[in-house]
Amino acid sequence: MLLSNGLLLTIACYWFFEVTIAVPEPYLDEVFHVRQALVYWADDWATWDPKITTPAGLYVASYAWLWILKVIRVSSSFVTQLRVLNLLQGTIALYLTSRQLLFDIPRLEASTNDNASRNTSAQPHSLLGLDHATLNVCLFPPLFFFCSLFYTDVTSTVLVLLAYMDFHLEKGRNQYFLSIAALFLRQTNIFWTAIYLGGLEVLRNLPKGRSGVEFPCRSTLLDVVTGSWQHACLYDALVEDYIKTGVSLIVASLANMQRLALPLIPYLSLLVGFGGFVLWNGGVVLGDKENHIASIHLTQMLYIWPYIAFFSFPLLLPYILNAILPQNVVPPPLRIGSTRYLVPRPGITLLSLGAMLIIVRYNTIVHPFTLADNRHYPFYVFRLLLRHPAIKYLVTPIYYICAWATIATMSGFRNDKKEKRIEMKAEDEDAASSSLSSSVTSLEPGARISFVLIWLLTTSLSLITAPLVEPRYFIIPWLMWRLHVPYSMPASSARSSLRSSNSKYEYQRTRTGAEEQKTTHWLDKMMKIGFAKYDYRLVLETLWFLGVNWLVGYVFLHWDFEWVQEKGSVQRFMW
């Protein structure tokens, strides 16, 4: 942990000092945030900048932070002191919170998948892999960038993750207060603190049905509805049964109203309180209401898929490569034993593409701010999309491919051959060895369909109500997705786990004379040397994030320019 956190601190501090030297004065939205923080620091609690849309949580936190700096007699510029607050949260608070979540979530998902107790000790991550994954989460470019600027994003994200972490604790008592604190940073956090966590509370309290017991082995939709109501339990799945699982979730919730009433009270109170605030305020945002009117913006749920695929394509590689290439061409660490669910059904593909085309045709919204400000990267994306009327339709398959890869990666890959092999009684050890070696990568079963539905619902609500398209709006949806991406394990590790967990299926590689059986790929040799239990995607993810951060940072610091209408005012490119 110390090594990865130290590396993160080194990279973040370097970025912070570069920004402090090149941009000592408040830039863009910092102008409003710093000015309001200065007003509060002067104990003027009645003055409010009408251009600020978010609540006062950031400025209250900055008041406490500045008071601490005053007590310990730290002297620096006001802007630098405020930026340090985000730097510490992005490198320490975010790191510790993400690490704990990456430790807890696979353990709890393993217990759910195995119908075991919540206290299971199953943990797919090695400590090295855990620290590496945590480092990558903190290096996520749209979030890492704002660690050196005084924006609301870092503090808001940390509070949401703290509430999520407390949700997973057996004796967590601070979730409700952390949720309220998150709402004082950003109004859209209501979806993650009330809808998302409330939905997970429902899943935690619903009994899980079993195939062949509460539900037939090949359940129809009618079987699912009947079983969910009669047995008051949830039909859950790992692949494709979204409609059945969604219907079962609704029916099982109605059948368990008494069981769910008490656990859902905190979440319902958050929703009621937020609804009262909206009525009192006359809208969701506090200031600049005429430019931030809530609307139905369905295309936001199309933009998120290439967003996730762009930043996380190293994690999607096993899915993409195994879907389009023969398995003997795919490098062994990235092979998947079963390709049964790698390609979606034609019916699902046609229905999804049709729905996407309808959304593009009737609900493409381009906010005036998007095309009026060339300092943000979405400006250039939308210039390409709007260059010809046909382009926005031609990119629809890209939305679909990215969506399928993203959800498949979070749901995990099922190794059908491996499961059948474990279930049967292996009498021939050589056959078992051969069968194991044919499946080079074993990915842990990931999020169940019920969780994916909750994540999709919350992400949709948080995005489609926003008229603007900004990379910052996708940060928390990406984080929740990334925290639930299952761990990838090379086959040598899978073989080791199989030998230690069940002695019936042990096997040893035979030797011919004095020579051991040779591997056929140089990556196999690397795995044998010392990377047998490592997720190679983490290395690619780190390199990719470092590259993107370097490029965006370099452009921000060195490619400054001026607008003709604002001579002498330096402009910079940013997310």
Side-chain angles (χ1 to χ4, degrees):
M1 183 175 76
L2 292 178
L3 178 62
S4 61
N5 191 233
L7 181 60
L8 174 64
L9 280 168
T10 302
I11 298 171
C13 287
Y14 174 78
W15 167 238
F16 178 84
F17 288 125
E18 288 292 319
V19 172
T20 301
I21 293 171
V23 194
E25 298 299 321
Y27 179 69
L28 214 59
D29 288 359
E30 273 193 316
V31 174
F32 309 112
H33 296 314
V34 171
R35 187 165 60 203
Q36 187 62 45
L38 187 60
V39 168
Y40 275 20
W41 181 238
D43 291 324
D44 183 2
W45 301 95
T47 301
W48 182 257
D49 192 329
K51 287 294 183 180
I52 296 177
T53 61
T54 52
L58 180 65
Y59 319 116
V60 174
S62 68
Y63 184 91
W65 170 246
L66 292 170
W67 184 85
I68 293 173
L69 294 181
K70 181 180 179 181
V71 170
I72 61 178
R73 298 185 178 182
V74 173
S75 60
S76 60
S77 72
F78 192 74
V79 176
T80 301
Q81 292 179 13
L82 293 176
R83 287 175 175 175
V84 169
L85 177 61
N86 268 4
L87 175 66
L88 293 177
Q89 291 184 94
T91 54
I92 298 177
L94 179 64
Y95 182 91
L96 294 175
T97 307
S98 301
R99 189 178 189 275
Q100 186 62 46
L101 284 168
L102 284 168
F103 179 84
D104 287 337
I105 289 172
R107 201 160 43 95
L108 299 176
E109 286 183 343
S111 69
T112 301
N113 290 336
D114 297 334
N115 290 322
S117 64
R118 279 186 83 231
N119 294 322
T120 179
S121 60
Q123 176 57 42
H125 275 291
S126 65
L127 289 179
L128 181 60
L130 179 65
D131 292 338
H132 196 167
T134 305
L135 172 66
N136 289 352
V137 167
C138 296
L139 288 176
F140 179 53
L143 186 58
F144 178 81
F145 180 88
F146 290 103
C147 288
S148 295
L149 297 175
F150 188 57
Y151 273 63
T152 61
D153 302 272
V154 177
T155 308
S156 171
T157 300
V158 167
L159 285 171
V160 171
L161 291 183
L162 282 171
Y164 191 27
M165 183 180 71
D166 200 77
F167 169 85
H168 285 303
L169 297 178
E170 293 290 350
K171 296 182 179 179
R173 296 290 183 269
N174 301 314
Q175 177 190 335
Y176 189 75
F177 302 104
L178 290 168
S179 297
I180 293 175
L183 291 177
F184 273 92
L185 267 296
R186 275 226 172 134
Q187 297 92 320
T188 52
N189 287 339
I190 186 64
F191 299 114
W192 296 102
T193 57
I195 303 298
Y196 180 71
L197 296 184
L200 296 185
E201 189 70 53
V202 171
L203 297 183
R204 185 157 67 180
N205 284 275
L206 282 181
K208 304 300 187 294
R210 295 161 294 178
S211 180
V213 183
E214 288 84 4
F215 301 99
C217 293
R218 294 181 178 273
S219 300
T220 65
L221 184 59
L222 181 59
D223 293 331
V224 170
V225 173
T226 304
S228 299
W229 181 259
Q230 289 181 351
H231 302 288
C233 60
L234 175 66
Y235 173 87
D236 211 345
L238 285 166
V239 289
E240 286 202 350
D241 284 342
Y242 288 94
I243 295 177
K244 293 178 183 178
T245 303
V247 171
S248 176
L249 181 57
I250 296 172
V251 174
S253 299
L254 293 175
N256 285 275
M257 289 298 292
Q258 290 184 341
R259 178 197 287 255
L260 297 175
L262 186 61
L264 289 181
I265 287 177
Y267 307 100
L268 294 175
S269 66
L270 286 175
L271 288 172
V272 171
F274 184 78
F277 160 77
V278 172
L279 291 176
W280 169 80
N281 184 55
V284 175
V285 298
L286 291 178
D288 200 20
K289 295 179 180 178
E290 61 275 9
N291 291 316
H292 295 82
I293 301 173
S295 59
I296 303 300
H297 192 182
L298 296 177
T299 44
Q300 293 270 34
M301 282 307 295
L302 302 183
Y303 305 144
I304 189 175
W305 307 119
Y307 176 94
I308 294 177
F310 172 77
F311 288 111
S312 297
F313 84 89
L315 302 179
L316 275 56
L317 271 181
Y319 166 81
I320 297 172
L321 293 180
N322 284 271
I324 63 177
L325 297 176
Q327 285 224 333
N328 59 348
V329 178
V330 179
L334 298 176
R335 287 183 201 159
I336 298 169
S338 172
T339 58
R340 179 180 175 187
Y341 299 112
L342 288 183
V343 180
R345 300 175 191 171
I348 294 176
T349 300
L350 292 176
L351 287 174
S352 300
L353 287 175
M356 289 179 174
L357 288 170
I358 292 173
I359 291 173
V360 169
R361 172 64 179 86
Y362 294 103
N363 198 240
T364 297
I365 299 174
V366 182
H367 196 281
F369 283 5
T370 302
L371 297 180
D373 194 342
N374 66 344
R375 296 170 295 186
H376 296 289
Y377 293 117
F379 169 86
Y380 302 95
V381 174
F382 276 92
R383 283 190 64 182
L384 290 175
L385 289 176
L386 300 176
R387 179 165 292 182
H388 189 279
I391 293 179
K392 62 181 181 181
Y393 299 105
L394 293 176
V395 297
T396 302
I398 297 177
Y399 298 149
Y400 178 72
I401 293 171
C402 292
W404 187 265
T406 298
I407 293 177
T409 300
M410 178 168 60
S411 299
F413 300 95
R414 303 297 291 171
N415 192 332
D416 297 336
K417 293 180 182 179
K418 178 184 171 185
E419 288 172 356
K420 292 178 181 178
R421 182 174 62 253
I422 292 176
E423 290 174 358
M424 71 180 183
K425 292 183 178 180
E427 296 179 356
D428 189 341
E429 292 179 354
D430 293 333
S433 174
S434 175
S435 179
L436 277 165
S437 62
S438 67
S439 170
V440 179
T441 299
S442 170
L443 285 91
E444 295 292 327
R448 301 189 78 88
I449 294 301
S450 55
F451 170 82
V452 176
L453 290 174
I454 298 296
W455 177 78
L456 284 172
L457 173 64
T458 311
T459 300
S460 300
L461 291 174
S462 66
L463 293 179
I464 65 176
T465 54
L468 270 170
V469 179
E470 289 196 29
R472 295 183 296 148
Y473 294 170
F474 300 94
I475 288 176
I476 295 182
W478 178 89
L479 274 173
M480 296 303 179
W481 173 84
R482 178 61 183 86
L483 292 171
H484 285 266
V485 170
Y487 194 68
S488 173
M489 191 180 301
S492 54
S493 175
R495 290 194 291 269
S496 175
S497 299
L498 188 62
R499 289 197 301 268
S500 62
S501 62
N502 198 330
S503 59
K504 290 183 180 179
Y505 313 120
E506 289 183 357
Y507 73 97
Q508 297 290 336
R509 289 195 172 191
T510 59
R511 294 174 179 266
T512 304
E515 294 185 357
E516 185 181 3
Q517 182 179 348
K518 295 183 179 181
T519 56
T520 58
H521 199 284
W522 65 273
L523 285 176
D524 288 335
K525 298 178 181 179
M526 287 185 61
M527 289 195 298
K528 289 185 64 179
I529 292 174
F531 296 92
K533 294 185 178 181
Y534 211 69
D535 187 343
Y536 302 92
R537 299 176 302 169
L538 295 178
V539 178
L540 297 176
E541 187 181 32
T542 303
L543 295 175
W544 177 242
F545 281 176
L546 288 175
V548 173
N549 281 323
W550 176 84
L551 181 61
V552 172
Y554 183 87
V555 170
F556 177 77
L557 295 173
H558 303 291
W559 285 17
D560 51 280
F561 63 98
E562 292 183 0
W563 283 340
V564 176
Q565 63 272 29
E566 293 186 18
K567 290 290 185 180
S569 179
V570 177
Q571 311 297 336
R572 301 178 184 274
F573 298 102
M574 62 186 297
W575 292 112

